[in-house]
Amino acid sequence: FNGLVLFDQPAQTVHGHLETQSTVGQLSLELQAALPNDLVDLLRHEAIEMAVGAAPPASPPPGMVPDFALDAALVFDPSATIARYDHAIHRLPEDLDDRSRAPAEATTLLVYRDPDHSVRFLHLTALAAAITEPLLAGASVKEALMRGTASLDINVDDDVLARVSRLLADFAERG
């Protein structure tokens, strides 16, 4: 093995948010080939958790208005990032002695810090991920909704609006 490379360069930011997909959690090709796929996902997950947890604390941007508006962007902590895995890593038991394997299931997680700066994970549906990505990049709520639904080729109807409303309320409750 060439070894495990968790942080081969300083973590970069994109629109102020941690860019973990290309700089954090990279494994040598030899190591990836030798390990079960769920373990590779677990190693990446652990590296992303460390990067989000170690990110410097951020202050709200000056002049931030806490009112919700469709044509305004949401403010996320810059450490928030989206992680994609081939396995449901978030469903592994917390018990370190439990050697259960993560089920093979495409999984998208929002990795973020709560108001106490503890790292948390939110499982995102395809629609939630498609909307959250542009939100993290600074898009307005309306723009993120339009881009996210277009990327999935779905129409904005009452059901979609209700689901997005619940997602946004969940974000607000999480801080």
Side-chain angles (χ1 to χ4, degrees), residues 68 73-77 80-82 108-115 121-125 127-136 139 141 144 163-175:
F68 176 82
L74 301 182
V75 176
F76 290 85
D77 185 275
T81 190
I82 290 182
T108 304
L109 300 177
L110 174 65
V111 187
Y112 68 99
R113 289 191 305 220
D114 68 14
F121 307 95
L122 176 63
H123 179 252
L124 298 175
T125 64
L127 177 61
I131 291 170
T132 302
E133 281 185 297
L135 287 173
L136 286 175
V141 174
R163 291 165 53 197
V164 171
S165 179
R166 286 191 298 272
L167 174 68
L168 298 175
D170 190 12
F171 286 166
E173 287 175 14
R174 291 170 186 271

Side-chain angles (χ1 to χ4, degrees), residues 34-119:
L35 292 174
N37 290 341
D38 61 329
L39 186 53
V40 172
D41 277 353
L42 180 59
L43 289 170
R44 284 186 51 244
H45 183 71
E46 298 263 335
I48 291 168
E49 181 178 9
M50 288 188 321
V52 169
S59 299
M64 184 181 92
V65 178
D67 296 334
F68 176 82
L70 283 176
D71 60 348
L74 301 182
V75 176
F76 290 85
D77 185 275
S79 65
T81 190
I82 290 182
R84 287 187 168 77
Y85 306 105
D86 294 327
H87 295 82
I89 296 301
H90 65 295
R91 294 198 335 227
L92 284 171
E94 297 275 333
D95 181 2
L96 296 177
D97 293 326
D98 188 325
R99 300 293 181 213
S100 300
R101 304 298 290 267
E105 177 182 308
T107 300
T108 304
L109 300 177
L110 174 65
V111 187
Y112 68 99
R113 289 191 305 220
D114 68 14
D116 295 325
H117 295 279
S118 296
V119 178

